[in-house]
């Protein structure tokens, strides 16, 4: 496919700007360009075809199955986009007066009310723009709390080894030392190891439950008790709330701070690099450290990670989603997400895919292809690439790190029984192929726009700048 610059023809136009209603004024000479700006010149139909061709090369939820684990790539209802496109929301300015922005403030208030009810928290800020940003902000709250109490020796954050990579990264960004807590044989937090690690230097524990192998830790109350008893606080990574929303609340599990990914669970598409939102909720005793709160830190500014209220339109979508589903609908969505994951897990397990942990799963499950790798030299990567030929997005690969040759599958609640069965059939075809013709698997995919990419070169010497051919 040609780049838009390569399709350019001098004189082709696709813009029809209205006549200016103010007199023309020349720029000062020293600010004006010396030569014309080099922009592509295309007709409207050429332009439309160019973007349509690009769109057709992209795989998305609207095109096919997209079970990327730990990402919740579910279908996002159009009605939520419609709500966010209302001119009263898109045209608002953050410095507008209170009296002319009441509707927007009401959206923030209602979204806070709903989401604190879902998480069991007391207050919430919508400032953070992503999950990792929320983790960072949550840890700032925890840090401010310890500092305020003069508790200066809490330098460590405990993070289970199954955690999402952003957890230790955020803790390190906040200046904490990360202590990894091993998982036990069942993929859950090893309580003995946690007891050994928790102490007077513990600032916090960061945990996601259900964890990244799709398991709900039944010891959660004991886990948060151990950390609190040591004087630390408990941070809940709520990026993937799909499995528990409406059923269980981090606040009731003993957590003090939580972030959510509105761009996973609450109706904003995720993965295309668009605006996200990682709101942070906390219990009342931490609320004074939130942005916009009365200064509780003795003269210091409250924790602040972004201007104003973050990506506001993402909050509008979340509120539209919550209100169209309602309390019962939210519960049903979570139940369906868990049912779908278990149904697909059973279809794949019965068809010969080994599971990393043999449990009932929550919203996702993890396959381990260690044996296939060992016996047939077919890796998780080979299987993932072969799935591309079946018109679907592969699952998350090589994560969590505690599982070898991992494939992590999260089908979400928006897939029908039939689409899960069709997906399972593709997975089983790929497995049969891997067993029969293992050597062929290294050349998969065969039918995509680009074949197997040289990922090492792409990572080590990426070409990120287009060099126009010299005229
Ligand atoms: C996606 C995810 C994050 C990070 O969210 P971003 O918005 O990508 O920064 C953190 N934790 C878990 C468990 C996640 O799945």
């Amino acid at each position: 496919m040609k780049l838009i610059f390569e399709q350019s023809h001098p004189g082709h136009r696709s813009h029809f700007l209205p006549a200016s209603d103010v007199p023309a004024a020349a720029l000062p000479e020293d600010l004006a360009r010396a030569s014309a700006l080099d922009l592509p010149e295309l007709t409207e139909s050429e332009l439309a075809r160019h973007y349509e061709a690009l769109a057709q090369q992209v795989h998305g939820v609207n095109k096919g199955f997209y079970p990327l684990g730990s990402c919740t790539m579910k279908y996002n209802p159009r009605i939520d986009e419609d709500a966010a496109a209302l001119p009263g929301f898109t045209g608002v300015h953050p410095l507008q007066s209170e009296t002319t922005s009441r509707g927007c403030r009401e959206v923030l208030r209602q979204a806070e009310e709903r989401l604190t009810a879902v998480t069991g928290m007391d207050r919430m800020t919508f400032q953070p723009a992503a999950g990792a940003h929320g983790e960072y902000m949550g840890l700032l709250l925890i840090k401010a709390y310890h500092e305020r109490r003069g508790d200066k020796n809490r330098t460590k954050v405990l993070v289970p080894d199954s955690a999402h990579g952003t957890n230790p990264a955020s803790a390190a960004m906040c200046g904490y030392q990360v202590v990894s807590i091993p998982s036990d044989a069942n993929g859950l937090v090893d309580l003995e190891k946690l007891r050994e690690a928790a102490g007077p230097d513990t600032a916090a524990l960061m945990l996601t439950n259900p964890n990244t192998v799709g398991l709900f830790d039944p010891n959660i109350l004991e886990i948060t008790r151990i950390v609190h008893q040591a004087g630390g606080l408990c941070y809940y990574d709520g990026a993937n709330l799909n499995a528990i929303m409406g059923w269980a609340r981090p606040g009731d599990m003993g957590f003090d701070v939580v972030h959510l990914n509105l761009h996973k669970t609450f109706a904003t598409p995720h993965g295309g690099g668009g605006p996200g939102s990682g709101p942070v909720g906390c219990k009342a005793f931490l609320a004074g450290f939130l942005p916009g709160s009365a200064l509780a830190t003795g003269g210091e500014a409250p924790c602040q990670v972004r201007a104003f209220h973050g990506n506001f339109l993402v909050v509008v979508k979340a509120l539209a989603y919550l209100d169209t589903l309602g309390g019962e609908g939210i519960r049903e969505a979570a139940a369906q997400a868990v049912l779908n994951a278990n149904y697909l897990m059973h279809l794949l397990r019965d068809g010969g895919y080994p599971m990393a942990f043999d449990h009932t799963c929550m919203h996702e499950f993890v396959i381990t292809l260690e044996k296939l790798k060992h016996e047939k030299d077919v890796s998780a990567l080979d299987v993932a690439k072969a799935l591309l030929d079946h018109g679907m997005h592969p699952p998350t690969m090589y994560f969590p790190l505690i599982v070898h040759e991992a494939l992590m599958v999260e089908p979400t609640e928006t897939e029908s029984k039939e689409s899960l069965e069709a997906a399972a059939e593709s997975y089983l075809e790929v497995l049969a192929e891997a067993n029969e013709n293992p050597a062929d698997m290294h050349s998969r995919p065969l039918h995509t726009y680009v074949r197997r990419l040289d990922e090492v070169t792409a990572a080590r010497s990426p070409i990120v700048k287009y060099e126009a051919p010299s005229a």
Side-chain angles (χ1 to χ4, degrees):
M1 189 179 158
K2 278 187 175 174
L3 296 176
I4 196 165
F5 282 92
E6 295 164 348
Q7 297 175 50
S8 176
H9 291 288
H12 282 198
R13 287 287 177 274
S14 51
H15 60 260
F16 302 96
L17 296 178
S20 173
D21 57 358
V22 291
L27 282 173
E29 194 114 338
D30 57 328
L31 295 179
R33 302 185 61 88
S35 58
L37 191 58
D38 184 21
L39 290 175
E41 298 177 68
L42 284 84
T43 65
E44 189 170 329
S45 58
E46 286 167 342
L47 192 65
R49 283 181 190 152
H50 174 71
Y51 284 111
E52 182 61 30
L54 280 178
Q56 286 182 6
Q57 291 191 15
V58 175
H59 186 86
V61 184
N62 295 350
K63 195 162 177 181
F65 193 45
Y66 204 145
L68 193 64
S70 201
C71 286
T72 314
M73 307 300 284
K74 60 186 183 182
Y75 174 77
N76 296 294
R78 287 289 191 273
I79 191 171
D80 306 327
E81 295 290 338
D82 289 349
L86 291 172
F89 294 138
T90 56
V92 74
H93 190 281
L95 292 178
Q96 230 168 285
S97 69
E98 291 255 2
T99 47
T100 59
S101 58
R102 283 206 181 113
C104 296
R105 287 169 204 282
E106 183 61 13
V107 165
L108 290 166
R109 192 194 65 75
Q110 289 190 18
E112 179 177 358
E113 187 178 277
R114 308 276 193 284
L115 291 171
T116 48
V118 166
T119 51
M121 294 289 135
D122 296 313
R123 290 308 308 270
M124 186 167 275
T125 172
F126 292 98
Q127 269 196 0
H133 206 191
E135 292 168 22
Y136 180 71
M137 160 127 214
L139 289 169
L140 288 183
L141 295 180
I142 290 172
K143 197 169 205 174
Y145 166 79
H146 290 309
E147 279 175 6
R148 184 80 200 291
R149 302 172 74 234
D151 202 347
K152 303 268 187 230
N153 297 322
R154 300 199 175 264
T155 52
K156 292 181 179 163
V157 170
L158 315 179
V159 183
D161 61 1
S162 64
H164 195 268
T166 51
N167 290 186
S170 302
M173 288 271 296
C174 255
Y176 284 118
Q177 200 181 324
V178 176
V179 179
S180 179
I181 306 295
S183 302
D184 66 14
N186 296 318
L188 304 171
V189 172
D190 188 324
L191 287 180
E192 274 320 303
K193 295 280 164 40
L194 178 66
R195 279 193 194 99
E196 282 166 27
D201 57 358
T202 302
L205 165 82
M206 295 181 89
L207 192 85
T208 183
N209 189 31
N211 64 13
T212 61
V213 293
L215 305 177
F216 188 92
D217 204 313
N219 301 320
I220 192 63
L221 291 174
E222 179 61 10
I223 290 170
T224 53
R225 202 190 59 79
I226 291 170
V227 175
H228 282 149
Q229 205 160 46
L233 296 186
C234 296
Y235 182 93
Y236 183 90
D237 175 344
N240 310 117
L241 214 67
N242 234 29
I244 61 159
M245 56 181 181
W247 295 89
R249 312 193 310 164
D252 301 333
M253 298 178 205
F255 289 92
D256 308 293
V257 187
V258 53
H259 89 264
L260 300 173
N261 274 28
L262 299 188
H263 51 289
K264 283 178 181 167
T265 314
F266 297 102
T268 281
H270 167 226
S277 176
V280 169
C282 64
K283 287 285 177 76
F285 73 96
L286 292 169
F289 300 109
L290 288 174
S293 304
L295 297 191
T297 47
E300 283 169 60
C303 305
Q304 173 108 15
V305 294
R306 208 166 185 273
F308 307 112
H309 301 286
N311 286 325
F312 172 67
L313 294 176
V314 181
V315 184
V316 175
K317 285 189 245 185
L319 183 60
Y321 180 75
L322 286 159
D323 281 358
T324 43
L325 266 71
E328 265 317 300
I330 290 289
R331 276 170 68 81
E332 212 180 308
Q336 192 69 39
V338 172
L339 180 63
N340 278 2
N342 278 284
Y343 185 51
L344 186 59
M345 180 176 78
H346 276 268
L347 292 177
L348 299 192
R349 188 166 60 199
D350 294 350
Y353 275 96
M355 296 300 145
F357 300 100
D358 233 351
H359 290 269
T360 300
C361 67
M362 295 296 286
H363 58 301
E364 59 194 359
F365 57 90
V366 182
I367 296 168
T368 171
L369 295 180
E370 207 172 359
K371 192 157 163 274
L372 191 67
K373 170 77 180 161
H374 189 68
E375 289 174 1
K376 304 272 183 181
D377 192 31
V378 174
S379 66
L381 179 76
D382 294 327
V383 169
K385 295 292 181 194
L387 286 167
L388 288 168
D389 280 335
H390 290 260
M392 61 176 69
H393 197 286
T396 294
M397 311 178 296
Y398 300 101
F399 179 77
L401 303 175
I402 55 171
V403 177
H404 296 291
E405 296 299 323
L407 288 180
M408 181 191 214
V409 188
E410 182 182 4
T412 83
E413 73 278 18
T414 55
E415 295 299 327
S416 67
K417 180 166 178 280
E418 290 71 24
S419 73
L420 294 173
E421 285 162 358
E425 212 165 290
S426 294
Y427 272 67
L428 300 188
E429 269 175 44
V430 167
L431 186 61
E433 213 186 342
N435 280 309
E436 282 154 30
N437 305 306
D440 288 354
M441 296 294 285
H442 306 308
S443 59
R444 298 293 185 272
L446 301 176
H447 306 298
T448 44
Y449 286 99
V450 286
R451 298 276 305 276
R452 181 98 49 129
L453 298 173
D454 179 350
E455 288 173 12
V456 175
T457 305
R460 295 282 160 80
S461 358
I463 302 168
V464 293
K465 180 163 167 270
Y466 172 66
E467 294 286 352
S470 46

